[in-house]
Structure formats: C-alpha cells, structure tokens
Amino acid sequence: MSARIATVSRDTNETQINVSVNLDGEGRLSCQTGVPFLDHMLDQVARHGMIDLDINATGDLHIDDHHTVEDLGITLGQAFFEAIGDKRGIYRYGHAYVPLDEALSRVVIDFSGRPGLYMNVEFTRDTIGSLDTQLFWEFFQGFVNHARVSLHIDNLKGFNAHHQAETIFKAFGRALRMAVAEDPRMAGQMPSTKGSL
C-alpha cells in the first residue's frame, strides 16, 4: 500500500487551518488550535488511532470556539478523504468500546462514501474547561461530511463530562485505526460489492 499522507488547508474570514495526516503513523500529534481541551482530545485520536497529526489553527476565538472547532472537523475530514485514496484493501469498518472509570462509549465507523452522523450523547455538563460540549457534534458533523463516512457515537455510561468526552475520542481513534488498516485477505480489492466507495 502506498503512503497514505495528505495535507489540507482551509482559509476563511473566520479560520485559517492547516492539517497534515499520516494514516500509517506512530500516534504523534503536533497541535495548536487555541482550544486546549480540543487539543487534548485530538491527542487521544492520534495516540489511539496510531495516526500522525500535524494541526495548526487560528480562529476567531474572541467570538467563541464554534468556528474553529467546526472548521477543524471539516479540514480533518478532507485530509482523511484525500489520504485514504480509493479504499482498496482496507477493512473499511471499525468499531471500539472504550471505558474510563465510570464512563463507557462506543464508536462505529464505515468508510462508505456516504456521510451520516448518528450521535447519542447527553453530556452531564454544558462546558468542559471553556469548551461548549455542543461543539463536539459540530466537530464530528464536519468530519463526517468531508471524510464521507458513516459514524455512530454512543455514550453508554458516565457522569463525569470529561470522562464522557475522552472515551468518545479514544474510541473514535481506535475505530479509525481498525477501519483504515490494510486487510491482508482483501489483497487490494475493493471492500464493496458495488466495486467503488
């Protein structure tokens, strides 16, 4: 399988974002978004997904975090879409259950070419640090639309909002790792009866 690396930039009146991704990395993150808790969550994705991420973002944080978080999801999704290529020889599907103390989350992903987000999460707090928990949906919606994946996220248990979020992002990283991995039995074949994804 050839190198699965991509770099994508997004430049708007609200944000300037650069994302580089290596799907076959070592779990390394270089990240400056101006949103500390999001940086912490992206570190979980890189580490547990064994994906190298280099992210630089400047946004209108003097307004709030919304545009930065949403546009990061969009740009990361675009980078994944470019890096994954035609999807020949990958597992395509990935899933993970991840616990953290009292919290437990399940994430299931399909690199189907059809965007869809199904997120069943009731955060027990409105903010984690300074980050509005509603923005996690915006992040994943941006990712889904531009990576063109189906993504199901369920927080099954938890009363600590930090733990809820962390189990989601760790499970997201693990599900990504499984889905993009090379399947030796597929031997370069398309993982679809349609012949394309």
Side-chain angles (χ1 to χ4, degrees), residues 167-180:
T167 57
I168 288 165
F169 277 85
K170 285 178 175 177
F172 179 56
R174 285 279 173 172
L176 286 170
R177 180 176 174 180
M178 180 185 293
V180 305

Side-chain angles (χ1 to χ4, degrees), residues 6 20 24 65 74 89 92-93 95 106 111 127 138 142 148 154 160 176 187 197:
S20 294
D24 303 300
D65 297 340
I74 290 169
R92 174 181 166 178
Y93 302 100
H95 63 273
R106 174 183 61 216
F111 276 80
T127 59
E138 300 293 343
R148 302 181 198 177
D154 294 281
N160 181 302
L176 286 170
L197 287 171

Side-chain angles (χ1 to χ4, degrees), residues 123-138:
F123 285 104
T124 58
R125 292 182 56 194
D126 294 333
T127 59
I128 305 173
S130 62
L131 181 61
D132 184 343
T133 54
Q134 289 183 328
L135 296 183
F136 293 122
W137 189 91
E138 300 293 343

Side-chain angles (χ1 to χ4, degrees), residues 17-135:
I17 298 174
N18 294 292
V19 171
S20 294
V21 60
N22 178 357
L23 300 184
D24 303 300
E26 299 176 353
R28 297 177 182 165
L29 174 73
S30 174
C31 187
Q32 295 290 330
T33 70
V35 185
F37 191 76
L38 182 62
D39 291 352
H40 180 46
M41 294 300 96
L42 291 169
D43 194 20
Q44 306 306 318
V45 175
R47 183 71 53 88
H48 294 280
M50 291 302 290
I51 297 161
D52 292 343
L53 295 174
D54 189 348
I55 299 172
N56 285 292
T58 302
D60 53 2
L61 299 178
H62 60 284
I63 296 174
D64 69 6
D65 297 340
H66 187 115
H67 298 141
T68 299
V69 175
E70 179 180 25
D71 286 6
L72 271 165
I74 290 169
T75 312
L76 186 63
Q78 290 171 334
F80 264 79
F81 183 76
E82 186 176 322
I84 199 73
D86 69 3
K87 306 171 192 167
R88 290 184 182 278
I90 66 167
Y91 278 98
R92 174 181 166 178
Y93 302 100
H95 63 273
Y97 285 82
V98 170
L100 174 57
D101 297 344
E102 88 299 343
L104 175 66
S105 292
R106 174 183 61 216
V107 173
V108 183
I109 193 166
D110 175 12
F111 276 80
S112 61
R114 298 182 304 280
L117 175 62
Y118 310 92
M119 189 168 174
N120 182 22
V121 181
E122 294 184 14
F123 285 104
T124 58
R125 292 182 56 194
D126 294 333
T127 59
I128 305 173
S130 62
L131 181 61
D132 184 343
T133 54
Q134 289 183 328
L135 296 183

Side-chain angles (χ1 to χ4, degrees), residues 152-163:
H152 291 250
I153 300 172
D154 294 281
N155 176 239
L156 305 174
K157 297 178 182 178
F159 57 79
N160 181 302
H162 186 128
H163 292 172

